[in-house]
Amino acid sequence: MPTILHLDMDAFYASAEQASKPSLRGKPVVVGGLGPRGVVATASYEARRFGVHSAMPMAQARRLAPNAAYLVPRFALYRTVSDQVMELLGRLSPLVEPLSLDEAFVDLEAGGTADDAASALAIGEQLREAIEAVTGLSGSVGLAGSKMLAKIASEEAKPDGIMLIAPGTERELLAPMPVRTLPGVGPATADHLRRAGMTTVNDLAEAGEAELVRLLGKAHGSSLHRMASGHDDRPVVAERDAKSVSVEDTFDTDLHDRVRVRSEVERLADRCVQRLRAAERSGRTVVLKVRRYDFSTLTRSETLRGPTDDPTVVREAAARLLESVDTTGGVRLLGVGVTGLADYTQEDLFAQAADERAAAGVAAALATAGPAGGAEAAGDAGTDEGGPESVEPEPESAEQLAARRWPAGHDVRHDAHGHGWVQGSGVGRVTVRFEEPESAPGRVRTFRIDDPDLRPADPLPLVRDPADYSSWPASLPKSRSGAVSSGGESRP
């Protein structure tokens, strides 16, 4: 019986942007980093028709779809929508395994919500309708007897469909699929198998376990042979605690000024702590990531006395780590993360930052004082106009300042015109379209980037009326129909 449900939201980031921006509905939308080194995070299905896809360099996407809307991600909005979707999934079963903001497994057997294939299909259809009613977005659902097959089914059902793989049909369905369909087969493994003459799942099944073990090793070979035969006994695991929280930025041009690099590290540390606190966690180990001009990547870490979510502690630890990294030649990417997560904060860490600052001050004073070591010399430490305290970072250009303050697609509020979103900025100007999720497409206006009446704003919720779904799934009618089975899809 198909007891595992896999939900995958359709073009999630781009669809959420279309739902919140009436003027973009039905139009190509690309979400990702907009700088010269940016990559596509998600493309709407309208943009995919031009060949744009995730992980593509943004410059290439612009060549393929020059008239698409290009937006910077708004993770605050995506998390809010994801929370709504996960809450609906939690009504189906206590065993929900989120894989990301837009994807999750559900064990229907544990929830007692499906007794057979027909009831599993009904639940899948009800779920899709509930998600659309509450969020305005669509999702694709796969149903099967295992996680692997349920995920394959949802992929086959995309976009906005549902598919069930009936027991006994697994081998037939999997046979013609490429080897990369199976979990654990990446580009390197696929290339290794191709050189051995295996390009389809059927090739793996027919090769036998011994041959795959010879090629890939005991654990990987045995696991792959079982999956090629349609077997996957991995359970749905409700608790998937994050092992770390991190943020990183790739810069449009390499950073050379050491003070600018430090200020970026401190800014990233603050963003990292914001995410840490949003997850109601604390962490013990601070990690710094630096990718240099030659693409070499260095990581440094420092373990604190205990877990913390204090921005000062994380910021100063990251700055100390930077001191051990040679940034000569330029920096392409910086990242700050926290690992060793916990659900509590070690209170004495709040004093740790002050202690370490005091110790650093004393050391600097003694070094400045030299052999005399007098108190007067210590009092003057760090104030010499020629010392590092007086070094100023490279000033950002007006274009860089505008892009940082007014990212394309992000929310703003104007005292006279209300809520809107940034269409673009440049030459000291920012262009805004004023509209809300439930409004008609709005008007466009342009302002100076320093207009005192214009300021950044939080995303507006995707306004929906979920009242009819307060007792879902029991009271939700089975209003969608369609023959759905192994190898088939349903469309609204």
Side-chain angles (χ1 to χ4, degrees):
M1 160 180 165
T3 58
I4 307 297
L5 179 150
H6 180 259
L7 170 72
D8 195 354
M9 300 295 290
D10 299 321
F12 181 53
Y13 296 171
S15 295
E17 296 295 347
Q18 290 174 318
S20 66
K21 298 177 170 67
S23 60
L24 297 184
R25 292 169 193 168
K27 298 180 180 179
V29 174
V30 181
V31 180
L34 301 190
R37 295 169 178 164
V39 297
V40 175
T42 308
S44 70
Y45 284 96
E46 295 86 354
R48 294 182 192 190
R49 296 191 188 107
F50 294 93
V52 180
H53 57 78
S54 60
M56 171 182 284
M58 192 62 76
Q60 182 181 355
R62 288 185 183 275
R63 290 193 295 270
L64 293 172
N67 296 321
Y70 288 87
L71 309 176
V72 175
R74 294 187 298 160
F75 288 105
L77 172 66
Y78 310 150
R79 289 191 188 95
T80 299
V81 178
S82 176
D83 288 345
Q84 292 176 306
V85 172
M86 296 302 167
E87 195 275 333
L88 290 173
L89 294 180
R91 301 189 198 181
L92 295 178
S93 171
L95 289 182
V96 176
E97 181 178 342
L99 303 179
S100 61
L101 291 175
D102 63 336
E103 186 180 2
F105 288 110
V106 182
D107 189 326
L108 298 178
E109 186 175 32
T113 49
D115 301 317
D116 53 22
S119 59
L121 275 173
I123 286 294
E125 285 285 15
Q126 292 171 9
L127 173 64
R128 293 174 60 228
E129 184 163 328
I131 289 172
E132 183 176 355
V134 173
T135 69
L137 307 183
S138 68
S140 296
V141 168
L143 295 153
S146 69
K147 290 167 70 172
M148 175 188 72
L149 292 169
K151 184 173 175 64
I152 290 172
S154 69
E155 187 63 32
E156 292 291 306
K158 279 186 168 292
D160 193 19
I162 181 169
M163 177 177 177
L164 181 146
I165 299 179
T169 66
E170 299 92 346
R171 284 288 301 272
E172 181 183 358
L173 177 74
L174 288 171
M177 293 183 174
V179 294
R180 289 204 61 184
T181 303
L182 301 181
V185 180
T189 301
D191 187 58
H192 190 50
L193 292 170
R194 181 189 57 78
R195 291 197 300 270
M198 304 176 200
T199 59
T200 67
V201 175
N202 187 61
D203 293 337
L204 301 181
E206 290 189 344
E209 182 177 358
E211 176 64 9
L212 294 180
V213 167
R214 185 185 70 80
L215 287 170
L216 304 173
K218 176 64 177 174
H220 197 185
S222 297
S223 172
L224 206 56
H225 184 260
R226 282 184 53 78
M227 290 184 176
S229 303
H231 302 297
D232 175 22
D233 55 5
R234 293 174 301 162
V236 174
V237 181
E239 295 298 329
R240 287 178 56 87
D241 280 346
K243 294 181 173 60
S244 65
V245 172
S246 63
V247 295
E248 62 182 44
D249 271 350
T250 300
F251 302 100
D252 294 346
T253 58
D254 292 347
L255 302 184
H256 294 275
D257 185 272
R258 183 75 177 184
V259 178
R260 170 73 187 282
V261 172
R262 174 168 174 144
S263 71
E264 292 292 343
V265 166
E266 292 177 345
R267 181 178 62 83
L268 289 167
D270 289 340
R271 284 175 51 197
C272 181
V273 170
Q274 288 174 5
R275 289 192 182 183
L276 197 66
R277 289 182 168 180
E280 299 181 346
R281 307 298 298 276
S282 59
R284 185 172 184 179
T285 300
V286 178
V287 180
L288 175 70
K289 176 180 177 181
V290 180
R291 181 166 296 149
R292 299 189 292 189
Y293 69 99
D294 58 357
F295 290 92
S296 61
T297 302
L298 304 175
T299 58
R300 299 287 186 269
S301 64
E302 176 180 322
T303 299
L304 308 171
R305 301 178 203 163
T308 184
D309 65 353
D310 178 36
T312 302
V313 173
V314 176
R315 190 186 311 123
E316 295 186 357
R320 286 193 299 274
L321 293 170
L322 179 63
E323 294 304 314
S324 66
V325 177
D326 179 11
T327 59
T328 305
V331 172
R332 296 175 58 89
L333 174 148
L334 290 168
V336 175
V338 176
T339 66
L341 301 189
D343 293 323
Y344 65 95
T345 299
Q346 187 94 5
E347 293 299 330
D348 66 359
L349 279 173
F350 289 99
Q352 176 175 311
D355 292 345
E356 289 170 346
R357 281 196 300 272
V362 170
L366 291 175
T368 305
E376 183 178 351
D380 291 337
T383 61
D384 181 9
E385 293 183 0
E389 293 292 332
S390 65
V391 178
E392 295 293 331
E394 298 171 343
E396 291 185 294
S397 68
E399 300 298 315
Q400 291 171 320
L401 286 170
R404 184 182 297 281
R405 187 177 183 191
W406 308 115
H410 279 225
D411 299 83
V412 297
R413 179 162 289 279
H414 190 276
D415 288 345
H417 303 291
H419 191 93
W421 58 277
V422 176
Q423 281 201 325
S425 61
V427 199
R429 297 288 187 269
V430 55
T431 301
V432 177
R433 184 181 289 272
F434 290 97
E435 60 186 5
E436 299 184 6
E438 296 301 306
S439 72
R443 298 185 63 181
V444 176
R445 296 182 181 274
T446 299
F447 308 90
R448 300 191 319 271
I449 61 172
D450 58 353
D451 190 310
D453 294 334
L454 187 69
R455 57 191 177 278
D458 293 328
L460 294 177
L462 301 183
V463 180
R464 293 291 182 271
D465 181 10
D468 292 341
Y469 297 89
S470 58
S471 59
W472 185 81
S475 63
L476 185 63
K478 301 174 178 62
S479 58
R480 287 194 179 189
S481 61
V484 189
S485 60
S486 178
E489 288 184 43
S490 167
R491 292 288 189 273

